[in-house]
Amino acid sequence: EAGVTQFPSHSVIEKGQTVTLRCDPISGHDNLYWYRRVMGKEIKFLLHFVKESKQDESGMPNNRFLAERTGGTYSTLKVQPAELEDSGVYFCASSLYRDRGLLSTEAFFGQGTRLTVV
Amino acid sequence: GIQVEQSPPDLILQEGANSTLRCNFSDSVNNLQWFHQNPWGQLINLFYIPSGTKQNGRLSATTVATERYSLLYISSSQTTDSGVYFCAVYSGNTPLVFGKGTRLSVIA
């Protein structure tokens, strides 16, 4: 079974340009998460989809970031326009289900997209 | 929100040595995962361990949820074990919260 897949693995863009990251979760996983690690710091939560709905987007840094998950399958994260501080590694993760207050199933992460804004 | 603290922040080992990494968390958790970020940046699942002890080869982990900590043991370390080890927890309805990681360097 394929794991979580992210495209591209690396992206170098100029400040002000637009970049779109893609994540294909494990088939059948309703939960999809985006995280990022900036400048070797902590891995921070960005947002959480349950199927096609945004469950929690409290971690999105500003309105330059737009995430979508059409049809509850793959997800895209667009940064427009990109700024220097957006550089980092963007991770996507998926899990089978998440019961509120109960045991959460294991989250599996993709290999990440390394974004460099110059 | 929940705080996750990992120690030590950095660790240098001679190949073949054993080590223990610690993860403390400030509140009760629904679940806990350990990850290894390898030099290529990939996050590899190591353990999914809300409580108790699990072993996988040279690695083992113990979570004592009532005392709010988890330990990751690495025995007979190898250079391929180098990288950053992250602990991450679920608490209530929060998303997975990561610690700052322990950077491990194993030298030959």
Side-chain angles (χ1 to χ4, degrees):
Chain A
E1 180 181 345
V4 178
T5 308
Q6 293 186 243
F7 303 97
S9 56
H10 294 86
S11 180
V12 181
I13 61 172
E14 293 185 351
K15 176 182 174 180
Q17 290 186 321
T18 297
V19 63
T20 300
L21 314 181
R22 172 171 170 143
C23 169
D24 286 74
I26 294 172
S27 178
H29 281 194
D30 286 344
N31 292 276
L32 187 149
Y33 307 85
W34 283 97
Y35 286 79
R36 72 173 180 176
R37 189 180 187 206
V38 174
M39 292 191 62
K41 295 186 177 179
E42 298 158 76
I43 298 175
K44 293 287 193 180
F45 168 78
L46 295 178
L47 88 159
H48 170 206
F49 284 100
V50 176
K51 297 184 180 179
E52 67 275 8
S53 300
K54 291 178 184 175
Q55 186 75 14
D56 181 352
E57 51 184 332
S58 60
M60 295 287 263
N62 52 61
N63 59 10
R64 296 185 294 103
F65 289 75
L66 175 63
E68 294 180 329
R69 190 181 183 194
T70 305
T73 55
Y74 71 91
S75 175
T76 57
L77 179 65
K78 180 188 290 187
V79 185
Q80 180 182 26
E83 298 289 345
L84 299 179
E85 63 264 25
D86 300 332
S87 296
V89 181
Y90 289 77
F91 292 101
C92 173
S94 73
S95 67
L96 185 58
Y97 69 86
R98 174 80 193 279
D99 289 332
R100 290 176 179 269
L102 301 177
L103 194 65
S104 303
T105 56
E106 188 172 4
F108 294 89
F109 280 72
Q111 79 280 16
T113 294
R114 183 175 296 278
L115 175 64
T116 302
V117 183
V118 298
Chain B
I2 191 168
Q3 304 296 313
V4 181
E5 293 185 1
Q6 292 187 242
S7 59
D10 295 277
L11 184 60
I12 299 175
L13 296 177
Q14 198 75 34
E15 197 170 27
N18 302 327
S19 63
T20 301
L21 282 57
R22 187 175 181 103
C23 173
N24 291 333
F25 38 95
S26 61
D27 204 348
S28 59
V29 299
N30 298 353
N31 208 344
L32 184 146
Q33 291 187 235
W34 282 98
F35 298 90
H36 174 216
Q37 187 175 29
N38 62 24
W40 295 269
Q42 297 172 306
L43 271 178
I44 308 298
N45 287 37
L46 296 178
F47 293 101
Y48 168 76
I49 182 168
S51 63
T53 298
K54 290 187 177 180
Q55 181 157 5
N56 184 5
R58 296 180 296 102
L59 302 182
S60 64
T62 295
T63 296
V64 184
T66 52
E67 297 186 22
R68 300 181 182 172
Y69 74 89
S70 183
L71 303 173
L72 178 68
Y73 305 95
I74 304 174
S75 64
S76 304
S77 58
Q78 301 176 358
T79 55
T80 52
D81 295 332
S82 296
V84 184
Y85 289 80
F86 289 101
C87 165
V89 302
Y90 286 113
S91 177
N93 296 326
T94 65
L96 202 56
V97 176
F98 283 79
K100 294 183 178 181
T102 292
R103 181 174 299 278
L104 175 65
S105 299
V106 181
I107 55 177

